[in-house]
Amino acid sequence: MPDDLELRFDAARAIAREAGGLARKRFLERPRSQHADMKGPQDYLTATDAEVEELIRDRLLALFPDDAFYGEEGGGSFKRDVWVVDPIDGTANFARGIPHFAASIAFVRDEKVEIGVILDVMQDELYTARRGGGASLNGKPIRVSGLTDARQATVEAGWSSRLPTEAYLSMVGRLKALGFNVRRAGSGTLGIAYVADGRVDAYCELHLNSWDALAGLLVVEEAGGWVNDFLAKEGLRKGNPVLVCTPGLADAVSAATGIGREPV
Ligand code: IPD
Ligand code: CA
């Protein structure tokens, strides 16, 4: 008989696929002329974020009514067992017609991520991990790249308006000085997932919220990557700096970003 975590893992995968179907439909039918609403400068909001989050919350709580739920759009509450969800990460991409956005579902028990599921909606790529069970992409095992030389490596450096831009630019300057190729594609969740699959070698951001980070952190850890202690202090509720990378690059990226095992 499956244990309660296996039931949750199965549910998260099925619900991510259903949520992805809705997000895909809304993306494809989105009017060309539509102007997106903004939460603040460079911070997009679409009606689809709330609609998809409601679907995920309703499905999860119907199956696991005693669990807590915490989502980017509607907030929520915390208990020993809590689902942490971003319905559409990469909202600016979604709103501008760029097919690079994802649904992220993490299950946290006793402040430890036990399940991570990420759906790259338009690529139909499902990244999954259960603690101790390895990481997969559409059911096939994945590993981090294993690169050790910054001069061959690519790092995605996430940016948001939550922190001063100067801090971001000086971090990028230090990464470039070490020889990294630096990119930014607008979805922290997918940037982290790409490290797990060896498409990029590191993802860093000076502040990321838990709904963006948690599923990916487990996927990278289970794919053999190095991850910072994101949940330390009040990471679950308030977010933290995030750094994930291939183990051989951890010292270099950590020195360039100031993000070590402990949150800064
Ligand atoms: C944002 C994206 C972005 C990251 C920001 C996030 P949203 O989330 O993940 O890539 O750099 O920190 O807030 O607004 O697309 O859901
Ligand atoms: Ca997000």
Side-chain angles (χ1 to χ4, degrees):
M1 187 145 132
D3 63 20
D4 76 291
L5 284 172
E6 200 57 33
L7 290 175
R8 285 176 171 81
F9 192 29
D10 290 345
R13 286 178 289 191
I15 292 167
R17 288 257 184 228
E18 186 184 355
L22 176 59
R24 180 185 182 86
K25 182 170 183 295
R26 294 287 183 260
F27 180 76
L28 294 175
E29 69 193 15
R30 151 192 168 276
R32 287 275 137 208
S33 59
Q34 191 187 43
H35 286 287
D37 295 327
M38 307 295 289
K39 292 185 196 169
Q42 298 298 345
D43 194 2
Y44 284 77
L45 175 69
T46 73
T48 308
D49 292 75
E51 193 186 9
V52 176
E53 181 164 311
E54 198 178 317
L55 182 153
I56 297 173
R57 190 188 56 232
D58 288 356
R59 297 287 185 275
L60 286 172
L61 296 185
L63 289 166
F64 310 106
D66 294 332
D67 293 356
F69 181 92
Y70 180 57
E72 168 158 20
E73 304 310 319
S77 58
F78 299 95
K79 281 185 188 167
R80 174 178 180 241
D81 285 344
V82 55
W83 294 94
V84 181
V85 169
D86 190 344
I88 296 183
D89 184 64
T91 303
N93 287 341
F94 181 100
R96 304 299 301 265
I98 299 168
H100 185 74
F101 54 89
S104 175
I105 302 179
F107 177 72
V108 179
R109 171 166 286 170
D110 293 327
E111 304 257 328
K112 216 170 176 191
V113 187
E114 294 290 346
I115 289 164
V117 172
I118 293 168
L119 181 70
D120 180 332
V121 173
M122 301 310 287
Q123 300 289 339
D124 195 28
E125 291 187 328
L126 188 70
Y127 298 84
T128 58
R130 191 181 152 180
R131 183 166 295 283
S136 0
L137 171 52
N138 286 347
K140 297 203 174 99
I142 49 174
R143 299 290 294 170
V144 296
S145 74
L147 270 189
T148 55
D149 184 349
R151 291 163 305 175
Q152 290 170 23
T154 294
V155 54
E156 179 161 353
W159 172 87
S160 80
S161 57
R162 293 185 297 277
L163 291 180
T165 297
E166 294 69 35
Y168 177 75
L169 293 176
S170 59
M171 178 176 81
V172 169
R174 290 190 299 272
L175 289 165
K176 295 294 292 174
L178 287 175
F180 282 101
N181 171 43
V182 182
R183 59 182 249 129
R184 175 177 186 268
S187 164
T189 296
L190 284 180
I192 295 172
Y194 275 19
V195 176
D197 191 34
R199 294 176 189 185
V200 298
D201 310 296
Y203 183 91
C204 60
E205 185 160 348
L206 294 169
H207 175 267
L208 200 60
N209 287 300
S210 59
W211 50 71
D212 297 314
L214 291 187
L217 283 163
L218 182 63
V219 175
V220 171
E221 207 177 335
E222 289 294 326
W226 188 98
V227 306
N228 76 314
D229 190 5
F230 181 87
L231 281 174
K233 298 186 179 165
E234 289 201 88
L236 186 57
R237 290 167 172 76
K238 296 190 173 160
N240 257 329
V242 69
L243 173 56
V244 307
C245 58
T246 192
L249 289 170
D251 287 345
V253 203
S254 187
T257 58
I259 307 170
R261 276 262 174 228
E262 293 299 318
V264 285

